[in-house]
Amino acid sequence: MFELFQYEFMVRAMVAGILAAVMLPVLGSFLVARRYSLMADSLAHVSLAGIGLGLLVGSSPILWAVPVAIAGGIMLEHLRQSGRLSGENGLAVLMSGGLAIAVVLAGLAQNQSVNFASYLFGSITTTTWSDVLLLSGLAVIILGVVGFNYRQLVHMVFDEDGARIMGYRVQFLNYLLVSLAAVAVVLAMRVVGGLLIGALLVIPVLAASQLARSFRGTIWWSVVLGVLAVLGGLAVAFYAGLAAGGAIVLAALVLFGLALLLRP
Amino acid sequence: MSKKKIWQPSNEPLHAGKQQLLLDLDDVTVELGGQKVLADINLCIHRGEFIGLIGPNGAGKTTLLRVMLGLLQPSKGRVDFADSTKVAYVPQRGAAMGGAVPVSVSEVVSMGSTDREAVSQALADVDLSELATKRFGELSGGQQQRVLIARALAGQAHMLILDEPTTGIDDATEIDFFNILKRLKKLGVTILMVSHDLEAVLEEAGRVICLNRRVLYDGLPQQFEVSSIGPICMRPSIGSCIINIRR
C-alpha cells in the first residue's frame, strides 16, 4: 500500500507538495479575507508571461517569472489604491493579459511547448531536491515575514481604514502581501501548474472557513486541509495513473465539499 | 487669519472643567473632484464631550470624519490633535468584517491591543465577555458595534468616532448602546457620533453640530430646537436636514 514511498521522485513530490500546502494557504487566508481570491490566479497567469519570456530568451523561466509576477501584483495594487480600477476588474485584466502574453511568447519560443506545458499543468513528479530546497527556504521566509507582521496584516485585511488610523503602513503591507504571494505562486507552480495554483491558495482556506471560528483557526485548518489534499491527490494520482496537479485540486475540492457538510 | 470657533465651551457652564482641547480644526476646506465638499470648518473638540454630528445625505459628515481621522488631507486648513491623543473609529458597516473568512470577537478586539487583560476587560466593559470566541460576522448589528467599541477601549482611545452606530438596530439594543456610551463619557472618553437619529442625538449628546458642507449649528441640543436651523431640520418634508425623527 505504501509502495509510493519507495520511489524517490514521489518522496520529493510529497515534500514539495507539503511545503506548498503550508505556505500557499497561509498567504491565501490573508488574500481571501482581503477579498482577493482571484489574486493567485492573476499572479500565476502573469508569471506565465515571465515563463514565456524566459523560454524565448533561453534562460531560467523561473528567474523571469518572479520579477514579472511581483511587478504585475504591485501594479494591480497601485491601480486599486489609486482608485483607477477596482480590485475585481484589475484582477480580470491582469489574468487575461498575462495569459495572452504568455501564449504569444511561448509560441515564439522554438520547441518549448512541452516545457511550457509543465508550467501550465504542473510537473510535481519531476521536482528535484534543489527545487525542494528552494521551496523550503521560501517557506521559512514567508512564514517568518507573516509571523513578524501578523497583527498588522490581520488588521489591514479586515479593516484597512482602522489599520491606517493605528498608524500601520498599509500601502507597504499590501505590497508586501502581494509580493510574497507572487513569489510563492511562481515557485510552487510545479506542484499543480499555473492554471490551478490559485486553487491550492484559495480552496483550503474556503474549506477551513467553514470549520473555524477565528482567523487563526482558519489558517491552521487551511494548512491541515492543504496538506491532506496534496498527499491524498498524489496518492490517487500514483495508484490511478492520473495527472498529479488535477488530482490534488480535486482532492481539495472534495475536502471543501466535506467541510460544507460538516459546518457546525 | 483664522475665524473664531463657533463653539466656545469655556463660556458654557455645562462644560465647565472639561476644557482640555483634544482636537482643533482650523478653517478646514476639502475639495474632491473640483467640488467643495467641506468649506471653512472651524471646530474645537474637548476631552469628555459627547457630540452628535447631524446633517443631510451628502452634507460631508463622513468626509469630516475622514479628515479628523487623518484618512483624508484637507485642501486647506489644519487639523491638530493634542499630543499623544489616541483616536478610534467605529465604522458604519462593521458587518463587512469577517464575511469571507471568519474572525473571532476576541481577534477583533485584539486589533486594538495585544494585552490580553486589556482585551478581556474591554469585552467585559461592553458586556460581551461570553461572546469572545464567537464569529464576529454572526453577531447582531448592535453587538458588532459594541465589539468595535471594545476594540477602541482595549486600545485606550481618548476619542471615539462613531459613524451611524444605531443604523439598523432595535430600540432595546439602542438603549443598551447609549448606556455604554454614557459610561465611557463618565470615564472621560470623548465621543463624536454621526447619526441620522435626531431624537437620539438630542437626548444623548451634550453638543450638536449640524453640518451641510458648512457648520450650520454648533451648540447645546436644547438650543438647537429653538435655533434658526433646528425647526427647519426637524421638518423632514421641508428641511431634509435630519432624516429620521422617531414618532
Side-chain angles (χ1 to χ4, degrees):
Chain A
M1 174 169 180
F2 294 103
E3 190 188 347
L4 75 170
F5 290 106
Q6 292 169 6
Y7 297 94
E8 196 185 332
F9 76 91
M10 282 304 293
V11 174
R12 281 197 307 265
M14 281 189 277
V15 176
I18 289 170
L19 288 167
V22 170
M23 63 179 180
L24 291 176
V26 169
L27 290 170
S29 299
F30 289 95
L31 291 177
V32 176
R34 182 101 184 66
R35 296 173 193 276
Y36 255 11
S37 298
L38 286 176
M39 174 60 94
D41 279 321
S42 302
L43 291 174
H45 288 195
V46 169
S47 64
L48 283 171
I51 298 281
L53 197 60
L55 292 174
L56 184 65
V57 299
S59 65
S60 167
I62 293 289
L63 284 183
W64 283 94
V66 169
V68 168
I70 291 176
I74 287 180
M75 187 180 73
L76 171 71
E77 188 52 32
H78 176 73
L79 287 172
R80 187 191 68 82
Q81 287 187 20
S82 64
R84 290 182 195 171
L85 207 57
S86 75
E88 190 182 80
N89 292 334
L91 289 172
V93 169
L94 206 64
M95 201 185 296
S96 46
L99 195 55
I101 294 170
V103 170
V104 168
L105 290 177
L108 290 173
Q110 297 295 313
N111 304 320
Q112 293 286 359
S113 56
V114 174
N115 222 341
F116 186 65
S118 75
Y119 290 100
L120 270 181
F121 304 111
S123 57
I124 191 170
T125 49
T126 62
T127 307
T128 63
W129 281 118
S130 56
D131 290 334
V132 171
L133 202 64
L134 194 62
L135 270 176
S136 310
L138 179 69
V140 169
I141 291 171
I142 283 179
L143 296 179
V145 172
V146 168
F148 186 73
N149 295 287
Y150 181 79
R151 186 162 172 249
Q152 290 96 318
L153 283 170
V154 171
H155 204 147
M156 189 263 293
V157 297
F158 283 109
D159 179 11
E160 191 167 310
D161 279 349
R164 279 185 211 281
I165 294 162
M166 288 287 280
Y168 298 147
R169 293 171 300 165
V170 167
Q171 196 174 19
F172 166 76
L173 290 169
N174 270 317
Y175 289 148
L176 180 72
L177 185 60
V178 168
S179 301
L180 288 176
V183 177
V185 160
V186 172
L187 295 189
M189 204 181 275
R190 276 183 173 252
V191 176
V192 291
L195 293 180
L196 291 173
I197 192 81
L200 208 50
L201 223 119
V202 172
I203 294 173
V205 178
L206 295 178
S209 303
Q210 309 302 317
L211 305 173
R213 286 179 159 199
S214 64
F215 184 66
R216 196 177 285 270
T218 303
I219 291 179
W220 283 113
W221 268 111
S222 65
V223 168
V224 169
L225 295 171
V227 170
L228 281 176
V230 164
L231 295 181
L234 272 176
V236 170
F238 179 80
Y239 291 110
L242 303 175
I248 290 170
V249 174
L250 286 175
L253 283 169
V254 168
L255 291 172
F256 175 60
L258 285 174
L260 276 178
L261 291 175
L262 293 173
R263 181 178 175 151
Chain B
M1 203 172 121
S2 68
K3 292 171 189 169
K4 192 182 172 187
K5 307 288 187 288
I6 295 173
W7 178 246
Q8 296 289 351
S10 55
N11 298 330
E12 298 291 342
L14 187 67
H15 294 270
K18 295 176 184 171
Q19 295 162 17
Q20 190 183 343
L21 186 64
L22 209 62
L23 171 62
D24 183 10
L25 278 83
D26 200 2
D27 262 339
V28 167
T29 295
V30 176
E31 287 181 20
L32 295 174
Q35 288 255 320
K36 208 174 260 193
V37 181
L38 291 175
D40 308 320
I41 305 293
N42 288 280
L43 290 172
C44 287
I45 293 176
H46 298 77
R47 186 175 293 274
E49 284 193 276
F50 187 156
I51 302 167
L53 177 61
I54 55 176
N57 288 331
K61 302 188 293 295
T62 301
T63 303
L64 181 60
L65 296 193
R66 292 183 72 78
V67 168
M68 287 177 175
L69 291 163
L71 298 172
L72 186 65
Q73 289 302 311
S75 317
K76 198 185 89 180
R78 286 178 49 184
V79 180
D80 292 316
F81 274 99
D83 285 344
S84 69
T85 300
K86 281 190 186 173
V87 182
Y89 178 49
V90 177
Q92 187 177 357
R93 294 182 62 188
M97 218 186 272
V101 174
V103 60
S104 72
V105 166
S106 63
E107 281 178 323
V108 173
V109 180
S110 298
M111 290 176 192
S113 169
T114 47
D115 183 347
R116 286 186 182 190
E117 256 184 50
V119 170
S120 301
Q121 185 58 51
L123 276 170
D125 285 344
V126 296
D127 306 322
L128 286 179
S129 297
E130 73 281 8
L131 299 183
T133 57
K134 280 257 181 197
R135 289 176 178 219
F136 179 79
E138 290 176 353
L139 303 187
S140 68
Q143 287 171 328
Q144 287 186 348
Q145 291 292 340
R146 279 152 67 188
V147 172
L148 294 172
I149 288 174
R151 180 176 75 170
L153 291 178
Q156 309 265 301
H158 302 109
M159 183 174 176
L160 202 56
I161 294 182
L162 305 108
D163 193 0
E164 303 281 2
T166 54
T167 300
I169 65 176
D170 59 59
D171 286 354
T173 312
E174 190 175 317
I175 291 167
D176 289 343
F177 178 77
F178 279 115
N179 284 336
I180 288 168
L181 291 189
K182 279 177 198 164
R183 272 181 4 224
L184 295 182
K185 186 181 175 301
K186 278 183 189 162
L187 292 172
V189 177
T190 305
I191 297 162
L192 176 70
M193 182 182 78
V194 169
S195 181
H196 278 114
D197 189 341
L198 179 61
E199 188 179 323
V201 167
L202 294 179
E203 268 175 31
E204 308 293 344
R207 174 181 169 191
V208 172
I209 297 172
C210 183
L211 187 77
N212 194 359
R213 297 179 191 256
R214 294 171 185 278
V215 175
L216 301 180
Y217 177 87
D218 183 358
L220 296 171
Q222 298 87 332
Q223 290 171 1
F224 178 71
E225 295 178 49
V226 294
S227 69
S228 57
I229 299 297
I232 302 171
C233 292
M234 295 171 80
R235 275 183 288 166
S237 59
I238 300 172
S240 76
C241 182
I242 308 302
I243 310 306
N244 177 23
I245 299 174
R246 289 174 297 170
R247 301 291 174 194

